[in-house]
Amino acid sequence: PLSLSLSGYREFCGALIQRRLSNKYTELRLLFERFDISGQGVITLADLRHILTDKRKGQLGESELQRIFAEIDRNKDGCIDLDEFVDLMLSNDPVAYNAAA
């Protein structure tokens, strides 16, 4: 019957989406761990400073760095945790991400 094949298709699609999300989360967690230079389980301002100044060859001012950090640190606890990092990386619109903070 058609309903069984449609149900099976939906189940298959759901499983495929779950797997893709799980893989993406794993990739982001590994990237987060690379950025956690201090090894504290969070990205600190010093970690972010190292990451961004290294990649931008020191062209980032301290006030701009602090502004970026404050925008990513949505719960304002002074560090970027994995959830904040994942939310940022999955956000398609940085303006919307900042507005939701």
Side-chain angles (χ1 to χ4, degrees):
L2 181 61
S3 63
L4 288 178
S5 62
L6 183 57
S7 173
Y9 176 75
R10 286 183 181 154
E11 212 173 293
F12 171 77
C13 288
L16 185 60
I17 290 169
Q18 281 299 108
R19 183 177 173 103
R20 291 186 79 195
L21 288 174
S22 176
N23 288 343
K24 180 60 113 176
Y25 184 82
T26 299
E27 291 173 17
L28 291 174
R29 185 179 45 78
L30 292 172
L31 183 60
F32 176 84
E33 289 171 1
R34 285 185 48 207
F35 289 167
D36 175 19
I37 297 166
S38 60
Q40 299 177 31
V42 295
I43 298 173
T44 65
L45 181 59
D47 292 338
L48 188 64
R49 182 181 295 113
H50 178 78
I51 294 162
L52 294 181
T53 56
D54 184 48
K55 300 296 181 212
R56 294 183 57 156
K57 305 295 184 229
Q59 299 173 358
L60 191 62
E62 185 65 24
S63 62
E64 187 177 1
L65 176 70
Q66 289 179 3
R67 181 189 59 77
I68 292 168
F69 187 86
E71 288 177 7
I72 300 170
D73 179 20
R74 295 173 84 175
N75 64 6
K76 307 301 179 207
D77 65 352
C79 58
I80 300 168
D81 60 34
L82 179 59
D83 290 336
E84 291 167 328
F85 181 79
V86 169
D87 287 347
L88 173 68
M89 298 305 285
L90 293 178
S91 172
N92 290 329
D93 183 0
V95 174
Y97 177 83
N98 294 337

